[in-house]
Amino acid sequence: VDTADDDSADAAGDESVDTAGDDSADETPSRVDDTLGTDEPLLRAIRDVYPDYAFLHDREGRYLDAVLGHQSTPLNCRSDLLGQPVEEVLPPPPAETVLEAIQTVLDTGDAESVTYALDTPAGERIFEGVVTPVTIGTVDRAVLVARDVTDREQRRRALARTEAWTEFALEKTNSLVLI
């Protein structure tokens, strides 16, 4: 997860997230590619197959860094995200949900769950995520880790429809037996 060498975040007026020279960077690495030299292939492999998306945000909701999951989304290009406010990347309802969670997390220090839907060329996709606070150096940031749960949600809705239909059919069957 690299923001130190990315000019697009700096060009957007964002503070650099570079932890070089910061003693805390040795204790809590903020960059997947620089974490543990001998484990780098393992970390890259995990990143490459992990379906979740991770976004680092400042208080105003600007994208400071992103690790995009291996699934296809409308957010396919990391460089297009960096430095952009969430309101310019997501449509109003999800952007408001995410921004409110970011600000709540930074105000309270407690994690927040979020659920939002995005329209994509493949149809509506539903995402669930957790926003957590993180301090990089001395600056408070928020990390959103989100997962596309559309398939699970579609299965849940189909099961609910089947259960409702079954209950209806049983009621009708019982009514016929009583007659």
Coordinates of all heavy atoms in Angstrom, one line a residue, residues 54-115:
A54 N -9.6 -2.2 0.6 CA -9.2 -1.4 1.8 C -8.9 0.0 1.3 O -8.2 0.2 0.3 CB -8.0 -2.0 2.4
F55 N -9.4 1.0 2.0 CA -9.3 2.4 1.6 C -8.8 3.1 2.8 O -9.4 3.0 3.9 CB -10.6 3.0 1.1 CG -11.2 2.2 0.0 CD1 -12.2 1.3 0.2 CD2 -10.7 2.3 -1.3 CE1 -12.8 0.6 -0.9 CE2 -11.2 1.6 -2.4 CZ -12.3 0.8 -2.2
L56 N -7.8 3.9 2.7 CA -7.3 4.8 3.7 C -7.9 6.2 3.4 O -7.7 6.7 2.3 CB -5.8 4.9 3.8 CG -5.1 5.8 4.8 CD1 -5.4 5.2 6.2 CD2 -3.6 5.9 4.6
H57 N -8.5 6.8 4.4 CA -9.2 8.1 4.2 C -8.7 9.1 5.3 O -8.4 8.7 6.4 CB -10.7 8.0 4.4 CG -11.4 7.2 3.4 ND1 -11.8 7.8 2.2 CD2 -11.8 5.9 3.3 CE1 -12.4 6.9 1.4 NE2 -12.4 5.7 2.1
D58 N -8.7 10.4 4.9 CA -8.5 11.4 5.9 C -9.9 11.8 6.4 O -10.9 11.3 6.0 CB -7.7 12.6 5.4 CG -8.5 13.4 4.3 OD1 -9.7 13.1 4.0 OD2 -7.8 14.2 3.6
R59 N -10.0 12.8 7.4 CA -11.2 13.2 8.0 C -12.2 13.7 7.0 O -13.4 13.6 7.1 CB -11.0 14.3 9.1 CG -12.2 14.8 9.7 CD -12.0 15.7 10.9 NE -11.5 15.0 12.0 CZ -12.2 14.3 12.9 NH1 -13.5 14.2 12.7 NH2 -11.7 13.7 13.9
E60 N -11.7 14.3 5.9 CA -12.6 14.9 4.9 C -13.1 13.9 3.9 O -13.8 14.2 3.0 CB -11.9 16.1 4.1 CG -11.7 17.3 5.0 CD -10.6 17.1 6.0 OE1 -9.5 16.5 5.7 OE2 -10.7 17.7 7.1
G61 N -12.6 12.6 4.1 CA -13.1 11.6 3.2 C -12.2 11.4 2.0 O -12.6 10.6 1.1
R62 N -11.1 12.1 1.9 CA -10.2 11.9 0.7 C -9.6 10.5 0.7 O -9.2 10.0 1.8 CB -9.2 12.9 0.6 CG -9.7 14.3 0.1 CD -8.5 15.2 -0.1 NE -7.7 15.4 1.0 CZ -7.7 16.5 1.8 NH1 -8.5 17.5 1.5 NH2 -6.9 16.5 2.9
Y63 N -9.5 9.9 -0.4 CA -8.8 8.6 -0.6 C -7.3 8.9 -0.5 O -6.7 9.6 -1.4 CB -9.1 7.9 -1.9 CG -10.5 7.4 -1.9 CD1 -11.6 8.2 -2.3 CD2 -10.8 6.1 -1.6 CE1 -12.9 7.7 -2.4 CE2 -12.1 5.6 -1.6 CZ -13.1 6.4 -2.0 OH -14.4 5.9 -2.1
L64 N -6.6 8.3 0.5 CA -5.2 8.5 0.6 C -4.4 7.3 0.1 O -3.3 7.4 -0.3 CB -4.8 8.8 2.0 CG -5.5 10.0 2.7 CD1 -5.1 10.1 4.2 CD2 -5.2 11.2 2.0
D65 N -5.1 6.1 0.1 CA -4.5 4.9 -0.4 C -5.6 3.9 -0.6 O -6.7 4.1 -0.1 CB -3.5 4.4 0.6 CG -2.4 3.5 -0.1 OD1 -2.6 3.1 -1.3 OD2 -1.3 3.3 0.5
A66 N -5.3 2.9 -1.4 CA -6.3 1.9 -1.7 C -5.6 0.6 -2.1 O -4.6 0.6 -2.7 CB -7.2 2.4 -2.8
V67 N -6.2 -0.5 -1.6 CA -5.9 -1.8 -2.0 C -7.1 -2.4 -2.6 O -8.1 -2.7 -1.8 CB -5.3 -2.7 -0.8 CG1 -5.0 -4.1 -1.3 CG2 -4.1 -2.1 -0.2
L68 N -7.2 -2.6 -3.9 CA -8.4 -3.1 -4.5 C -8.5 -4.6 -4.5 O -7.5 -5.2 -4.9 CB -8.5 -2.5 -5.9 CG -8.5 -1.0 -6.0 CD1 -8.6 -0.5 -7.4 CD2 -9.6 -0.3 -5.2
G69 N -9.6 -5.1 -4.2 CA -9.7 -6.6 -4.2 C -9.7 -7.1 -5.6 O -9.7 -6.4 -6.5
H70 N -9.6 -8.5 -5.6 CA -9.5 -9.1 -6.9 C -10.8 -9.1 -7.7 O -10.8 -9.5 -8.9 CB -8.9 -10.5 -6.8 CG -9.8 -11.5 -6.2 ND1 -10.0 -11.7 -4.9 CD2 -10.7 -12.4 -6.8 CE1 -10.9 -12.6 -4.7 NE2 -11.3 -13.1 -5.9
Q71 N -11.9 -8.8 -7.1 CA -13.2 -8.8 -7.8 C -13.3 -7.5 -8.6 O -12.8 -6.5 -8.2 CB -14.4 -9.0 -6.8 CG -14.3 -10.3 -6.1 CD -15.4 -10.4 -5.1 OE1 -16.0 -9.4 -4.7 NE2 -15.7 -11.6 -4.6
S72 N -14.1 -7.6 -9.7 CA -14.3 -6.4 -10.5 C -15.3 -5.5 -9.8 O -16.3 -5.9 -9.3 CB -14.8 -6.8 -11.9 OG -15.1 -5.7 -12.6
T73 N -15.0 -4.2 -9.8 CA -15.9 -3.2 -9.3 C -15.8 -1.9 -10.1 O -14.9 -1.8 -11.0 CB -15.5 -2.7 -7.8 OG1 -14.3 -1.9 -7.9 CG2 -15.3 -3.9 -6.9
P74 N -16.7 -1.0 -9.9 CA -16.5 0.3 -10.6 C -15.3 1.0 -10.1 O -14.9 2.0 -10.7 CB -17.8 1.1 -10.2 CG -18.4 0.4 -9.0 CD -17.8 -1.0 -9.0
L75 N -14.6 0.6 -9.1 CA -13.4 1.3 -8.5 C -12.2 0.5 -8.9 O -11.4 0.0 -8.1 CB -13.5 1.3 -7.0 CG -14.8 1.9 -6.4 CD1 -14.8 1.8 -4.9 CD2 -14.9 3.4 -6.8
N76 N -12.0 0.3 -10.2 CA -10.9 -0.5 -10.7 C -9.6 0.1 -10.7 O -8.6 -0.6 -10.8 CB -11.2 -1.1 -12.1 CG -12.3 -2.2 -12.0 OD1 -12.3 -2.9 -11.1 ND2 -13.0 -2.3 -13.1
C77 N -9.5 1.4 -10.7 CA -8.2 2.1 -10.9 C -7.8 2.9 -9.6 O -8.4 3.9 -9.3 CB -8.3 3.0 -12.1 SG -6.6 3.6 -12.5
R78 N -6.8 2.4 -8.9 CA -6.3 3.0 -7.7 C -5.9 4.4 -7.9 O -6.2 5.3 -7.1 CB -5.2 2.1 -7.1 CG -4.5 2.7 -5.9 CD -3.4 1.8 -5.5 NE -2.7 2.3 -4.4 CZ -1.6 3.2 -4.5 NH1 -1.2 3.5 -5.7 NH2 -1.1 3.6 -3.4
S79 N -5.2 4.7 -9.0 CA -4.7 6.0 -9.2 C -5.8 7.0 -9.4 O -5.6 8.2 -9.2 CB -3.7 6.0 -10.4 OG -4.4 5.7 -11.6
D80 N -6.9 6.6 -9.9 CA -8.1 7.5 -10.1 C -8.7 7.9 -8.8 O -9.4 8.9 -8.7 CB -9.1 6.9 -11.0 CG -8.7 6.8 -12.5 OD1 -7.7 7.5 -12.8 OD2 -9.3 6.0 -13.2
L81 N -8.5 7.1 -7.8 CA -9.1 7.3 -6.4 C -8.3 8.3 -5.6 O -8.8 9.1 -4.9 CB -9.2 6.0 -5.7 CG -10.2 5.0 -6.2 CD1 -10.1 3.7 -5.3 CD2 -11.6 5.5 -6.1
L82 N -6.9 8.2 -5.7 CA -6.1 8.9 -4.7 C -6.3 10.4 -4.8 O -6.2 11.0 -5.9 CB -4.6 8.5 -4.9 CG -4.3 7.0 -4.7 CD1 -2.9 6.7 -4.9 CD2 -4.8 6.5 -3.4
G83 N -6.5 11.0 -3.6 CA -6.7 12.4 -3.5 C -8.1 12.9 -3.8 O -8.4 14.0 -3.5
Q84 N -8.9 12.0 -4.2 CA -10.3 12.3 -4.5 C -11.2 12.2 -3.2 O -11.0 11.3 -2.5 CB -10.9 11.4 -5.6 CG -10.3 11.5 -6.9 CD -10.4 12.9 -7.5 OE1 -11.5 13.5 -7.5 NE2 -9.3 13.4 -8.0
P85 N -12.1 13.1 -3.0 CA -13.0 13.0 -1.9 C -14.1 11.9 -2.2 O -14.4 11.7 -3.4 CB -13.7 14.4 -1.8 CG -13.4 15.1 -3.0 CD -12.3 14.4 -3.7
V86 N -14.5 11.2 -1.2 CA -15.5 10.1 -1.3 C -16.7 10.6 -2.1 O -17.3 9.9 -2.9 CB -15.8 9.5 0.0 CG1 -16.6 10.4 0.9 CG2 -16.5 8.1 -0.2
E87 N -17.1 11.9 -1.9 CA -18.3 12.4 -2.5 C -18.2 12.5 -4.1 O -19.1 12.6 -4.8 CB -18.7 13.8 -2.0 CG -18.9 13.9 -0.5 CD -17.7 14.3 0.2 OE1 -16.6 14.0 -0.1 OE2 -17.9 15.1 1.2
E88 N -16.9 12.5 -4.6 CA -16.7 12.6 -6.0 C -16.5 11.2 -6.6 O -16.5 11.1 -7.8 CB -15.5 13.5 -6.3 CG -15.8 15.0 -6.0 CD -14.6 15.9 -6.4 OE1 -13.8 15.5 -7.2 OE2 -14.6 17.0 -5.9
V89 N -16.3 10.2 -5.8 CA -16.1 8.9 -6.3 C -17.4 8.0 -6.2 O -17.7 7.3 -7.1 CB -15.0 8.2 -5.5 CG1 -14.9 6.7 -5.9 CG2 -13.7 8.9 -5.7
L90 N -18.1 8.2 -5.1 CA -19.4 7.4 -4.9 C -20.6 8.3 -5.1 O -20.5 9.5 -4.8 CB -19.4 6.9 -3.4 CG -18.3 5.9 -3.1 CD1 -18.4 5.5 -1.6 CD2 -18.2 4.7 -4.0
P91 N -21.7 7.7 -5.4 CA -22.9 8.5 -5.5 C -23.4 9.0 -4.1 O -22.9 8.4 -3.1 CB -24.0 7.6 -6.1 CG -23.4 6.2 -6.0 CD -21.9 6.4 -5.8
P92 N -24.3 10.0 -4.0 CA -24.6 10.6 -2.8 C -25.0 9.6 -1.6 O -24.4 9.7 -0.5 CB -25.8 11.5 -3.1 CG -25.5 11.9 -4.5 CD -24.9 10.7 -5.2
P93 N -25.9 8.7 -1.7 CA -26.3 7.9 -0.5 C -25.1 7.1 0.0 O -24.8 7.2 1.2 CB -27.4 7.0 -1.0 CG -28.0 7.7 -2.1 CD -26.9 8.4 -2.8
P94 N -24.3 6.4 -0.8 CA -23.2 5.7 -0.2 C -22.1 6.6 0.3 O -21.4 6.3 1.3 CB -22.7 4.7 -1.3 CG -23.7 4.8 -2.4 CD -24.6 6.0 -2.2
A95 N -21.9 7.7 -0.5 CA -20.8 8.6 0.0 C -21.1 9.2 1.3 O -20.2 9.3 2.2 CB -20.7 9.7 -1.1
E96 N -22.4 9.6 1.6 CA -22.8 10.1 2.9 C -22.6 9.1 4.0 O -22.1 9.4 5.1 CB -24.2 10.6 2.8 CG -24.4 11.8 1.9 CD -25.9 12.0 1.6 OE1 -26.8 11.4 2.1 OE2 -26.1 12.9 0.7
T97 N -23.0 7.8 3.7 CA -22.8 6.7 4.6 C -21.4 6.6 5.0 O -21.0 6.5 6.2 CB -23.4 5.4 4.1 OG1 -24.8 5.6 3.8 CG2 -23.2 4.3 5.0
V98 N -20.5 6.5 4.0 CA -19.1 6.3 4.3 C -18.4 7.5 5.0 O -17.7 7.3 6.0 CB -18.3 5.9 2.9 CG1 -16.8 6.0 3.1 CG2 -18.8 4.6 2.4
L99 N -18.7 8.7 4.5 CA -18.2 9.9 5.1 C -18.6 10.0 6.6 O -17.8 10.3 7.5 CB -18.5 11.1 4.3 CG -17.9 12.4 4.8 CD1 -16.3 12.3 4.8 CD2 -18.3 13.6 3.9
E100 N -19.9 9.8 6.9 CA -20.4 9.8 8.2 C -19.6 8.8 9.1 O -19.2 9.1 10.3 CB -21.9 9.6 8.3 CG -22.5 9.7 9.7 CD -24.0 9.5 9.7 OE1 -24.6 10.1 8.8 OE2 -24.4 8.7 10.5
A101 N -19.4 7.6 8.6 CA -18.7 6.6 9.4 C -17.3 7.0 9.6 O -16.8 6.8 10.7 CB -18.8 5.2 8.7
I102 N -16.6 7.6 8.6 CA -15.2 8.0 8.8 C -15.1 9.0 9.9 O -14.3 9.0 10.8 CB -14.7 8.6 7.5 CG1 -14.5 7.5 6.4 CG2 -13.4 9.4 7.7 CD1 -14.2 8.0 5.0
Q103 N -16.0 10.0 9.9 CA -16.0 11.1 10.9 C -16.3 10.6 12.2 O -15.7 11.0 13.2 CB -16.9 12.3 10.4 CG -16.3 12.9 9.2 CD -17.2 13.9 8.5 OE1 -18.4 14.0 8.7 NE2 -16.6 14.7 7.6
T104 N -17.3 9.7 12.3 CA -17.7 9.1 13.6 C -16.5 8.3 14.2 O -16.2 8.5 15.4 CB -18.9 8.2 13.5 OG1 -20.0 9.0 13.0 CG2 -19.3 7.6 14.8
V105 N -15.9 7.5 13.4 CA -14.7 6.7 13.8 C -13.6 7.6 14.3 O -13.0 7.3 15.4 CB -14.3 5.8 12.7 CG1 -12.9 5.3 12.9 CG2 -15.2 4.7 12.5
L106 N -13.3 8.7 13.6 CA -12.2 9.6 14.0 C -12.6 10.4 15.3 O -11.7 10.7 16.1 CB -11.8 10.5 12.9 CG -11.2 9.7 11.7 CD1 -10.9 10.7 10.6 CD2 -9.9 9.0 12.2
D107 N -13.9 10.6 15.5 CA -14.3 11.4 16.7 C -14.4 10.5 17.9 O -14.0 10.9 19.0 CB -15.7 12.0 16.5 CG -15.7 13.1 15.5 OD1 -14.7 13.7 15.3 OD2 -16.8 13.5 15.0
T108 N -14.8 9.2 17.7 CA -15.0 8.3 18.9 C -13.9 7.3 19.1 O -13.7 6.8 20.2 CB -16.3 7.5 18.7 OG1 -16.2 6.6 17.6 CG2 -17.5 8.4 18.5
G109 N -13.1 7.0 18.1 CA -12.1 6.0 18.2 C -12.7 4.6 18.1 O -11.9 3.6 18.3
D110 N -14.0 4.4 17.9 CA -14.6 3.1 17.8 C -14.9 2.7 16.3 O -15.2 3.6 15.5 CB -16.0 3.1 18.5 CG -15.8 3.4 20.0 OD1 -14.8 2.9 20.6 OD2 -16.7 4.0 20.6
A111 N -14.8 1.5 16.0 CA -15.1 1.0 14.7 C -16.6 1.1 14.4 O -17.4 1.1 15.3 CB -14.7 -0.5 14.6
E112 N -16.9 1.3 13.1 CA -18.3 1.4 12.6 C -18.5 0.5 11.5 O -17.6 0.3 10.6 CB -18.6 2.8 12.1 CG -18.6 3.9 13.2 CD -20.0 4.0 13.8 OE1 -21.0 3.9 13.1 OE2 -20.0 4.2 15.0
S113 N -19.7 -0.2 11.4 CA -20.0 -1.0 10.3 C -20.8 -0.2 9.3 O -21.6 0.7 9.7 CB -20.9 -2.2 10.7 OG -20.2 -3.0 11.6
V114 N -20.6 -0.4 8.0 CA -21.4 0.3 7.0 C -21.9 -0.8 5.9 O -21.2 -1.8 5.7 CB -20.5 1.3 6.2 CG1 -20.2 2.5 7.2 CG2 -19.3 0.8 5.6
T115 N -23.0 -0.5 5.3 CA -23.5 -1.2 4.2 C -24.0 -0.2 3.2 O -24.7 0.7 3.6 CB -24.7 -2.1 4.7 OG1 -24.2 -3.0 5.7 CG2 -25.2 -3.0 3.5

